[in-house]
Amino acid sequence: MPIAKLPLSSKLLRRSLCLTLGAALLAAPLSVFAAETSTQNTGIGFTSNTGSHTQSHVAAPVQFTGSPLAVGEHRLLNRQDIVREWDDIDPDYLPEKAMEAVKALLPEKDFEELFPYRLGSEEWFKVAQGKEYYKADQSDYFSYDNLIDAVTEVSNLKIKIGTRIGTTSQEIHRLDKEAKVETLVLRSADFNSDEIRSKPIETVIVDFGTFLKEGFKKDRKRELAAFLANLSHETGGGWSGAPGGELRWGLFWNENIAGRTGANMDAFVDPDSAALFPGTPGKRYYGRGPIMLSWNFNYGLFSSIIYGDKSVLLNNPEQVAQDGKLGYMTAILFWMTPQNPKPSAHDVMVGRWKPNTEDKLKGLGKPGFGVTIMVLNGLEANLGETEGSPVLRRAGHYREITQRMGIDISGEKVNTLNMKPF
């Protein structure tokens, strides 16, 4: 069915990108949706994130009359269009800068030593031999090259979120910088309705090319460390007393264990989003990749942003677990996208986000690694580095990676003690 014929509801956009994270979510689906009347949901919702939540990669609001495109349609832009409607293309954030950015922050040798048991590595094969999850043809899924390639790919993308002021009604566009092609990937069903058509549109632009490329070098290193530390916890296969230590086992898994083994046969197709993002018969949308991408609407939305076509991952969700570059890409998109009412984890780490009064009352007044935990998983609120706490392993990875990078994080709040969810 053509994507243009599938209307998008405001309800769905408020629910978009609700990702199930953490080991506690591996066995069964979490209720990922907030109450219908709530504006404080804990999943990602694309917003302008105005007020004190500012982002360097977000363009100033512009007057925009709505897209001439139908959902799924493309148009080639000229130079004037890109400057006027996309805040231009910054050469510092183009793909050719990606490899340079990663290598300047964490050399391959250090990466290899940090993650010796990562999925598909030489050590992984030794451990996995004879286990039910062993695959003789398993690639080095979390390889350094896949990380660099993923940063390169996402650097070619921008998204533009247009919101009717005073409503939750939105349009979301995707820009391929190299091709200079714009695609409308999502539109609320009521976006051009008579009731709200006269309301002005506030536009926010997210440039994924700013990943690891903003702020002082120390902040860029902290961002990469925080990114890898959180992913390492989500995918960790270690345990107390594990060979080499628990932290050596980061990036070990890339699939929801219960989903992969069939212990949970749920298709993870949400009926409220099935009209726009229909589940393909026989396919299941359980957690895959570094962030355990889950649910049909997340596969469809990420597919729309990455490929400009929702059907790619809806028809082939297993690609997220098969292609390490793609897996890293989904994690970077999650990391870079502001949430409602959360900032992006990127902005927290590079110092672009300034907590407001409400944030401070919730204990979120000290931007740093601890706040990124709250951005990614509000279920881990008010936890210290104590035995059995998931924050212990997250913070452990962060301390180790920053130490290897030569970064002093003394004074940075790396746990979630006294923090409440956004």
Side-chain angles (χ1 to χ4, degrees), residues 350-414:
V350 301
R352 293 295 186 179
W353 172 71
K354 305 301 179 185
N356 60 25
T357 301
E358 184 178 356
D359 297 325
K360 293 175 181 178
L361 289 173
K362 292 180 175 180
L364 303 168
K366 296 182 178 180
F369 183 72
V371 174
T372 70
I373 298 174
M374 298 303 295
V375 169
L376 298 179
N377 191 351
L379 295 177
E380 295 181 16
N382 196 29
L383 296 177
E385 295 178 70
T386 57
E387 190 67 32
S389 166
V391 171
L392 177 63
R393 188 163 72 179
R394 287 188 194 270
H397 281 296
Y398 183 60
R399 292 183 191 282
E400 182 176 49
I401 297 170
T402 51
Q403 181 178 19
R404 185 171 289 270
M405 289 177 165
I407 297 299
D408 180 9
I409 59 168
S410 58
E412 179 176 349
K413 187 171 177 58
V414 300

Side-chain angles (χ1 to χ4, degrees), residues 3-323:
I3 192 170
K5 294 183 180 179
L6 295 173
L8 178 69
S9 67
S10 300
K11 177 180 178 182
L12 176 59
L13 273 172
R14 290 199 301 275
R15 296 173 172 180
S16 295
L17 287 180
C18 299
L19 297 174
T20 55
L21 296 171
L25 307 182
L26 292 177
L30 180 72
S31 176
V32 296
F33 300 148
E36 187 59 32
T37 56
S38 172
T39 59
Q40 300 292 311
N41 78 57
T42 58
I44 289 184
F46 294 114
T47 71
S48 60
N49 212 15
T50 54
S52 65
H53 301 266
T54 58
Q55 297 127 23
S56 64
H57 59 283
V58 172
V62 296
Q63 290 300 313
F64 184 54
T65 57
S67 177
L69 302 174
V71 176
E73 287 187 341
H74 316 279
R75 69 176 177 131
L76 182 65
L77 303 182
N78 59 35
R79 173 71 178 173
Q80 185 178 8
D81 293 331
I82 292 172
V83 172
R84 182 181 65 250
E85 300 180 23
W86 283 92
D87 194 34
D88 210 350
I89 296 176
D90 192 323
D92 288 338
Y93 304 142
L94 290 175
E96 52 262 33
K97 301 284 187 177
M99 183 180 299
E100 174 186 328
V102 177
K103 290 189 173 182
L105 302 179
L106 184 68
E108 184 173 7
K109 177 178 179 293
D110 289 345
F111 179 88
E112 296 275 349
E113 292 178 358
L114 282 166
F115 307 111
Y117 290 98
R118 69 184 183 276
L119 180 62
S121 69
E122 182 179 346
E123 293 301 318
W124 180 90
F125 273 99
K126 293 178 183 177
V127 171
Q129 187 73 42
K131 305 291 197 308
E132 60 84 16
Y133 55 84
Y134 177 77
K135 295 179 181 178
D137 60 349
Q138 176 63 56
S139 66
D140 189 351
Y141 182 88
F142 288 111
S143 71
Y144 189 76
D145 287 343
N146 280 341
L147 174 60
I148 288 177
D149 289 346
V151 178
T152 301
E153 288 278 334
V154 299
S155 294
N156 189 48
L157 298 175
K158 283 188 173 186
I159 58 171
K160 178 167 60 178
I161 307 145
T163 306
R164 296 279 185 191
I165 294 178
T167 76
T168 57
S169 190
Q170 297 177 321
E171 285 185 332
I172 301 177
H173 293 76
R174 166 195 191 269
L175 176 67
D176 182 309
K177 297 179 188 178
E178 181 181 16
K180 297 180 176 58
V181 171
E182 174 187 83
T183 305
L184 179 64
V185 297
L186 293 175
R187 175 185 281 143
S188 298
D190 64 346
F191 191 80
N192 291 319
S193 65
D194 293 339
E195 290 78 11
I196 66 172
R197 189 180 184 87
S198 62
K199 292 183 179 293
I201 300 170
E202 184 178 60
T203 301
V204 169
I205 297 170
V206 180
D207 188 344
F208 294 111
T210 61
F211 180 61
L212 307 180
K213 302 189 191 83
E214 288 193 307
F216 291 114
K217 186 174 183 178
K218 174 182 177 180
D219 294 329
R220 298 197 300 274
K221 285 187 173 183
R222 288 173 56 251
E223 177 179 16
L224 180 56
F227 176 75
L228 291 174
N230 279 300
L231 297 190
S232 296
H233 169 72
E234 301 297 343
T235 60
W239 65 95
S240 178
E246 185 175 11
L247 299 182
R248 297 281 72 72
W249 294 69
L251 307 182
F252 188 85
W253 302 107
N254 74 340
E255 288 187 272
N256 174 308
I257 297 173
R260 175 181 57 80
T261 61
N264 184 351
M265 288 300 294
D266 195 305
F268 288 82
V269 175
D270 164 55
D272 289 331
S273 63
L276 181 63
F277 298 123
T280 301
K283 298 295 183 178
R284 296 160 58 223
Y285 304 97
Y286 60 82
R288 297 180 178 92
I291 54 169
M292 297 299 167
L293 187 69
S294 308
W295 298 94
N296 59 309
F297 51 85
N298 286 323
Y299 279 85
L301 186 56
F302 271 97
S303 185
S304 296
I305 294 173
I306 293 171
Y307 302 107
D309 181 355
K310 67 175 182 179
S311 67
V312 176
L313 295 184
L314 284 174
N315 291 342
N316 303 283
E318 59 276 3
Q319 285 186 5
V320 176
Q322 294 170 350
D323 184 344

